[in-house]
Amino acid sequence: QDGGVYVITGGGGGLGAIFAQEIALKATGTTINLTGRSPALPTAVRQRIQELPAHIQYLTMDVADGENVQTVLAMVRHTYGKVNGILHGAGITRDRLLENKTGAECREVLASKVAGTVYLDEATRRDDLDVMILFSSGTGVTGNIGQADYAAANAFMDRYAAYRNTLVQRGERTGQTLSVNWPLWESGG
């Protein structure tokens, strides 16, 4: 929406830049908060977004840390007065057959998508969101060899979107929740 305030997790990646561009070009006066675990926005992403007609900033945030998510979103609210949308694109893969993976590797893959989804929802439960978009993957539907944990994490996002939409129907949340089973992108990852 015009004048909207959006938060994009995984904002240091190629998809973060693609969606920042899309928001900036479709709505006027927007504020886009790209977030990620890295201390700075990668140069390629910074160059891609620097001329966009929106206020865009990068904030360090680890979606797998509930307290950090609460703190960063409170800062966004304090600075801009609201949060209108969440685009949750954070995620990692550690491709290997499950029998060869460590528990730590599985937890790392699950954390950003499973815990991150829940933490973002909890942190915005009182915000008047228009939308929460969860960047799932086709692997959440079809599975993929060497990505059992990643497939499970994405399937969780799909089910959580349906769950959150029931909370919206009960008046406990606002906004449409979508989980999109993205394939690989030609540009963006």
Side-chain angles (χ1 to χ4, degrees):
Q1 63 170 282
D2 290 348
V5 176
Y6 300 93
V7 175
I8 301 176
T9 71
L15 293 182
I18 288 170
F19 281 89
Q21 179 177 335
E22 186 68 14
I23 291 168
L25 296 177
K26 296 278 176 151
T28 61
T30 57
T31 298
I32 302 167
N33 298 278
L34 299 173
T35 69
R37 292 182 302 165
S38 298
L41 193 61
T43 302
V45 175
R46 190 172 53 250
Q47 290 172 344
R48 184 169 180 178
I49 64 170
Q50 67 186 359
E51 299 298 323
L52 292 175
H55 175 69
I56 302 174
Q57 69 175 350
Y58 180 77
L59 303 169
T60 302
M61 181 175 78
D62 181 356
V63 294
D65 179 339
E67 188 174 311
N68 186 230
V69 171
Q70 290 282 352
T71 299
V72 171
L73 287 171
M75 184 180 69
V76 169
R77 262 184 236 100
H78 177 75
T79 305
Y80 303 106
K82 60 184 177 177
V83 175
N84 297 107
I86 301 287
L87 286 76
H88 181 27
I92 61 169
T93 58
R94 296 288 182 253
D95 295 354
R96 221 176 351 176
L97 292 177
L98 190 57
E99 66 186 10
N100 298 323
K101 284 192 183 199
T102 66
E105 287 173 323
C106 288
R107 283 189 297 277
E108 187 180 17
V109 170
L110 293 168
S112 59
K113 290 193 173 269
V114 175
T117 296
V118 174
Y119 292 150
L120 287 164
D121 179 44
E122 289 175 353
T124 58
R125 69 184 316 141
R126 290 181 182 87
D127 289 300
D128 189 18
L129 294 184
D130 295 326
V131 67
M132 179 178 278
I133 303 174
L134 307 176
F135 285 36
S136 180
S137 166
T139 63
V141 176
T142 63
N144 196 30
I145 294 174
Q147 292 188 326
D149 48 2
Y150 187 69
N154 286 295
F156 173 86
M157 293 177 105
D158 297 344
R159 300 314 175 270
Y160 199 90
Y163 164 72
R164 190 177 182 285
N165 281 325
T166 64
L167 296 179
V168 170
Q169 292 172 351
R170 294 192 324 224
E172 297 175 30
R173 302 288 193 281
T174 62
Q176 175 70 37
T177 311
L178 298 173
S179 183
V180 182
N181 300 116
W182 298 114
L184 286 174
W185 287 54
E186 184 174 334
S187 62

